[in-house]
Amino acid sequence: MSFFFTPISPRQIRRRRIKVFGLMIVSTLLATLKWITVIPSDSSLFTRFLMIGLFILTFGWIALFFWSSIFGFFELLRKKNVPGVRWPDEKTKLSTKTAILMPVYNESPANVFANLLAMANDLEKTGQADAYDIFVLSDTTNPKIWVEEESLWLEAKKIISPEIGFYYRRRPINTARKSGNIEDFCNKWGALYDFMIVLDADSLLTGATMVRMSQLMETNPQAGIIQAPPMCINRHSLFARIQQFAGKVYGPIVSAGLAYWQVGDSNYWGHNAIIRVGAFMECCKLPVLSGRAPFGGHILSHDFVEAALIRRGGWSAWLLPELKGSYEECPPSMIDFAVRDRRWCQGNMQHIKVLVSRGLHPVSRIHFIIGIMSYLSSPLWLSFLLVGLAVALGRNIFQPDYFPTYYTLFPTWPIFDKFGTISLFVISMFMLIFPKFLGLIVYLAQNKFKEIGGCFGAVKSVLAEIVFSALSAPIMMMFQSKFVFDIFAGRDAGWNTQNRDETGTSWKEAWTRHRWHMLLGIATTVIVWKYAHSLFWWMLPITTGLILSIPISVISSREKNGIAARKNKYFVIPEEINVPEILTSALSFRTQLANKKRGAGVADVVDNSELNALHILMLPVNGPTPEFGSKALETAKIKLENYLNHGLEMELSREEEIALLYSPDVLKKANLMKQLVYHNV
């Protein structure tokens, strides 16, 4: 077998990490030394230590992002593959079997099955579709969606290529959520497959990409995980369009920077990745953390932990930015983004317990620290701002004593380096913003500006994104600070279905979610204007975003505003200029399946004989019947009889509907009665 391979030694890997983290440490140290000199000389020792500590933590986070992006930029310009990975010929015939797993939890069945049909259709074009089977692993708890999943699986089964096995299974109890769902698959069917490609409900992977991932796993027998970085597409709200553009322009630099220093010790993002099933089953039995939620119980952010366990088991984990054709959808609004962030925040805070586990690779511990700090940085930034504001207010409200009680020849003038403070602020902003322009330079070097709205359109989009990020950053800082506070206060977020509809945020919902942000912004502005006027203009970027949080949230959630931005060449992405064939196929299947979906729950099972037989046949496959009250079943039977005999609507509670769906004899008899009534009519 022919392959392309760029070797890399452990010494070269260490050198890469020393460069990135060494530059981070040196730049943070130099900035901290300068910060020590600009702290007002009359500050107390406690205040000095507090401000220095907060500065190190916040600036260090910025420095790591900056230097990682710099190295990622040069990697993209050189157009070199990640070293240490053998790349086989694209025409290599697969000799292994891969399972494509779609875990779902109360998602839109039409969207899920449309995406799977599009991926199956694309796989068929590669000529290697027979190397894949697709599993829909449902943890759905909504009885109507459960029935709809079965119905659309039946329809999709008629459409999909016969070369690809297409299976559906629903767990009655969703123990350990997604990680438990995958574990259940491995326990029951994992031994039949060499690899598994794990998806999310909105994932799309081209057939060529999936085949390439399987080829890479075959050619690199030490690889445990290969992650294909997903790009956000197919959203139209203004908020989502901004995220899509940012991901497309800056995302490759971030991914390349991470791959530069992680090499074979990369992380796993939970979806759009291929995993060696044997390694996963051997290494990834996740623990149940001691104590109660939010820190105890099943691990929410399981992907980081699974990557660490795979690495501890001696397998490698790779992030390969070279793998294209990997897509997902981003949250359509700021509030939806925050809701998802709350869940991720809790999962990452759980990693505090996992961080000290024995035998983990040092880079795996760094991944945990980065994940934890990605949320702790918000309350740290907030604390840093509050301490600085408190010092400024204290100096204005309580005037310094220039003539202390002990004898001195001259007054004691407090020293404050204004220009030093400004220079540190400018450096911090440069390190945050400059990598965004590096993304533009990559497009310029590759002569691909037309793909992102042309030169003028790309530049104005980056500038507009910077303004939007500056306004939304304090809002997200407040959201995340509250999330961290809630978690440490013992409040569990649970795991709810993510909203994927672009219906927009109402003014009422925005008021409920953001009113405290707005009031805090107004109060801070008034206090600073009155008692620390010199800080007013410096605080304005933060206070403006908070004061305008409600209209920002509402306006950015509107689909019509996103469409208007697209017409004016703002936030254009290449997938809108040259629409991927797989996306067109998915949208076509979505329309086709939407015309066939029913959504009436038990009534569909009773009315449709084919669905009735399928549902009853699959009940034993799904597992043991969950417990429900006998009263619920009796009440449900009465409502069912009224539906059959008198045509009355079945207004069933969730428990009543589930009781009927787990009563095969009742459903079979009801279907026979329905058919008799139909034929007699």
Side-chain angles (χ1 to χ4, degrees):
M1 180 192 296
S2 62
F3 57 81
F4 173 78
F5 177 64
T6 303
I8 186 169
S9 67
R11 184 179 179 183
Q12 289 173 307
I13 295 173
R14 284 196 300 271
R15 193 178 301 161
R16 287 181 170 215
R17 291 167 183 170
I18 289 171
K19 286 179 184 178
V20 175
F21 288 94
L23 286 167
M24 180 200 81
I25 292 169
V26 169
S27 54
T28 303
L29 178 62
L30 292 174
T32 303
L33 291 174
K34 181 60 181 175
W35 175 245
I36 291 172
T37 67
V38 306
I39 298 174
S41 60
D42 58 342
S43 300
S44 68
L45 190 62
F46 173 77
T47 302
R48 282 171 172 269
F49 276 114
L50 183 60
M51 295 185 76
I52 292 169
L54 290 171
F55 180 85
I56 291 172
L57 291 172
T58 52
F59 191 90
W61 181 246
I62 295 172
L64 177 59
F65 163 78
F66 175 77
W67 290 114
S68 182
S69 298
I70 294 294
F71 284 101
F73 168 72
F74 286 112
E75 288 295 292
L76 289 180
L77 286 186
R78 291 192 296 178
K79 297 182 180 179
K80 289 187 176 181
N81 286 353
V82 174
V85 177
R86 289 177 170 81
W87 290 80
D89 188 276
E90 293 182 1
K91 296 179 181 179
T92 302
K93 186 68 177 176
L94 293 172
S95 59
T96 52
K97 193 75 171 176
T98 301
I100 300 170
L101 309 185
M102 174 66 86
V104 293
Y105 176 72
N106 295 326
E107 301 286 351
S108 165
N111 294 354
V112 167
F113 285 100
N115 284 4
L116 290 174
L117 285 172
M119 286 187 271
N121 189 47
D122 220 44
L123 269 174
E124 194 174 6
K125 295 175 184 176
T126 68
Q128 304 213 52
D130 58 344
Y132 295 87
D133 286 339
I134 296 175
F135 286 80
V136 179
L137 307 175
S138 175
D139 266 352
T140 291
T141 56
N142 184 316
K144 285 184 169 53
I145 296 178
W146 170 18
V147 172
E148 194 176 333
E149 286 173 355
E150 292 181 336
S151 174
L152 291 187
W153 173 76
L154 190 60
E155 295 295 334
K157 185 76 173 169
K158 299 172 184 176
I159 302 170
I160 200 167
S161 167
E163 292 183 273
I164 301 174
F166 190 36
Y167 307 101
Y168 170 86
R169 167 301 260 128
R170 174 186 170 272
R171 287 197 304 169
I173 302 173
N174 58 337
T175 304
R177 303 174 179 87
K178 184 175 179 178
S179 62
N181 205 351
I182 302 296
E183 182 182 344
D184 180 76
F185 164 82
C186 289
N187 290 337
K188 292 177 178 175
W189 303 287
L192 301 174
Y193 298 92
D194 301 281
F195 319 124
M196 58 184 179
I197 295 175
V198 181
L199 305 174
D200 220 348
D202 55 5
S203 293
L204 265 180
L205 280 167
T206 64
T209 300
M210 288 188 282
V211 169
R212 198 71 175 135
M213 293 164 80
S214 297
Q215 290 171 339
L216 285 166
M217 292 296 274
E218 283 189 4
T219 313
N220 296 273
Q222 86 290 349
I225 298 175
I226 294 177
Q227 176 72 60
M231 288 293 164
C232 291
I233 60 170
N234 199 36
R235 286 295 191 191
H236 306 288
S237 73
L238 182 58
F239 179 86
R241 292 188 59 77
I242 293 171
Q243 305 308 309
Q244 288 174 173
F245 178 81
K248 199 66 187 180
V249 177
Y250 322 142
I253 288 179
V254 175
S255 296
L258 292 173
Y260 174 81
W261 62 266
Q262 292 175 359
V263 196
D265 304 315
S266 294
N267 214 342
Y268 164 44
W269 299 355
H271 56 92
N272 292 35
I274 188 167
I275 302 174
R276 192 174 300 274
V277 176
F280 188 88
M281 294 176 68
E282 172 192 331
C283 304
C284 294
K285 177 67 176 176
L286 293 183
V288 178
L289 299 178
S290 60
R292 295 188 301 173
F295 285 101
H298 294 287
I299 298 173
L300 298 186
S301 295
H302 55 90
D303 39 12
F304 280 41
V305 181
E306 287 161 349
L309 295 177
I310 284 273
R311 190 65 193 87
R312 186 174 72 174
W315 304 91
S316 57
W318 298 90
L319 169 63
L320 300 182
E322 303 91 329
L323 288 172
K324 309 301 181 183
S326 171
Y327 306 110
E328 64 176 343
E329 295 177 351
C330 59
S333 72
M334 183 180 290
I335 290 176
D336 291 318
F337 188 92
V339 169
R340 187 186 69 176
D341 235 25
R342 172 63 177 88
R343 188 177 67 220
W344 286 2
C345 179
Q346 182 169 325
N348 283 21
M349 291 303 106
Q350 285 181 313
H351 294 165
I352 294 173
K353 286 188 173 184
V354 184
L355 179 62
V356 296
S357 300
R358 288 180 294 180
L360 296 182
H361 192 280
V363 175
S364 297
R365 298 189 197 277
I366 291 174
H367 290 320
F368 287 132
I369 292 171
I370 290 174
I372 293 165
M373 282 300 299
S374 66
Y375 290 98
L376 283 183
S377 61
S378 285
L380 287 172
W381 268 109
L382 180 60
S383 300
F384 184 70
L385 292 170
L386 291 175
V387 170
L389 183 59
V391 169
L393 290 173
R395 290 173 57 81
N396 282 274
I397 296 172
F398 304 102
Q399 294 298 321
D401 184 5
Y402 302 118
F403 298 95
T405 54
Y406 57 87
Y407 175 78
T408 59
L409 185 61
F410 299 103
T412 303
W413 300 107
I415 300 172
F416 175 68
D417 186 355
K418 180 179 180 180
F419 294 104
T421 305
I422 293 172
S423 65
L424 284 174
F425 175 79
V426 171
I427 290 171
S428 299
M429 291 302 101
F430 172 80
M431 295 176 79
L432 284 171
I433 294 172
F434 183 64
K436 298 176 184 282
F437 289 99
L438 292 181
L440 280 183
I441 294 173
V442 170
Y443 274 88
L444 176 64
Q446 297 174 351
N447 196 25
K448 292 183 177 180
F449 262 138
K450 288 184 179 180
E451 296 183 358
I452 50 175
C455 182
F456 180 65
V459 172
K460 70 181 184 181
S461 295
V462 167
L463 295 175
E465 191 276 335
I466 290 172
V467 172
F468 181 81
S469 295
L471 291 173
S472 59
I475 304 171
M476 295 310 300
M477 177 182 69
M478 296 307 300
F479 267 132
Q480 291 180 347
S481 297
K482 183 180 184 301
F483 297 160
V484 173
F485 175 81
D486 285 346
I487 290 166
F488 279 93
R491 300 187 185 100
D492 179 23
W495 193 281
N496 298 317
T497 306
Q498 183 177 320
N499 176 44
R500 304 186 193 275
D501 297 325
E502 295 186 282
T503 53
T505 301
S506 67
W507 289 98
K508 182 179 179 182
E509 183 182 10
W511 167 257
T512 302
R513 296 276 189 166
H514 295 290
R515 66 181 185 275
W516 294 113
H517 302 157
M518 181 190 71
L519 294 173
L520 178 63
I522 293 171
T524 304
T525 302
V526 171
I527 292 170
V528 170
W529 176 266
K530 188 172 182 180
Y531 297 106
H533 192 71
S534 60
L535 288 179
F536 177 79
W537 299 107
W538 294 101
M539 294 291 294
L540 204 56
I542 297 170
T543 54
T544 300
L546 292 174
I547 292 171
L548 299 178
S549 57
I550 292 175
I552 288 172
S553 185
V554 172
I555 292 170
S556 66
S557 74
R558 295 287 192 259
E559 189 175 2
K560 64 178 182 179
N561 295 332
I563 294 172
R566 168 73 178 88
K567 288 180 180 178
N568 289 283
K569 294 189 176 180
Y570 279 95
F571 314 121
V572 179
I573 60 173
E575 286 77 11
E576 293 174 316
I577 305 299
N578 298 303
V579 181
E581 188 176 343
I582 192 170
L583 177 58
T584 304
S585 177
L587 294 175
S588 175
F589 280 123
R590 194 171 296 183
T591 302
Q592 185 178 344
L593 293 178
N595 293 331
K596 293 182 177 293
K597 75 175 189 177
R598 300 177 177 88
V602 169
D604 288 337
V605 178
V606 170
D607 294 347
N608 187 292
S609 297
E610 188 178 30
L611 181 58
N612 185 279
L614 171 68
H615 177 81
I616 293 171
L617 180 67
M618 294 186 70
L619 283 178
V621 178
N622 290 337
T625 302
E627 294 183 6
F628 49 82
S630 57
K631 185 178 180 180
L633 180 58
E634 293 305 315
T635 305
K637 285 180 179 179
I638 294 171
K639 293 179 180 179
L640 177 60
E641 288 178 10
N642 287 330
Y643 170 74
L644 293 170
N645 297 327
H646 307 292
L648 299 178
E649 289 293 326
M650 282 190 292
E651 296 181 358
L652 300 168
S653 67
R654 178 180 174 278
E655 188 180 13
E656 290 168 352
E657 194 153 12
I658 289 176
L660 283 178
L661 289 174
Y662 275 105
S663 303
D665 293 338
V666 175
L667 292 175
K668 188 174 183 179
K669 182 179 177 181
N671 176 252
L672 290 173
M673 291 179 64
K674 187 71 176 180
Q675 298 309 311
L676 286 172
V677 170
Y678 173 79
H679 288 298
N680 288 336
V681 171

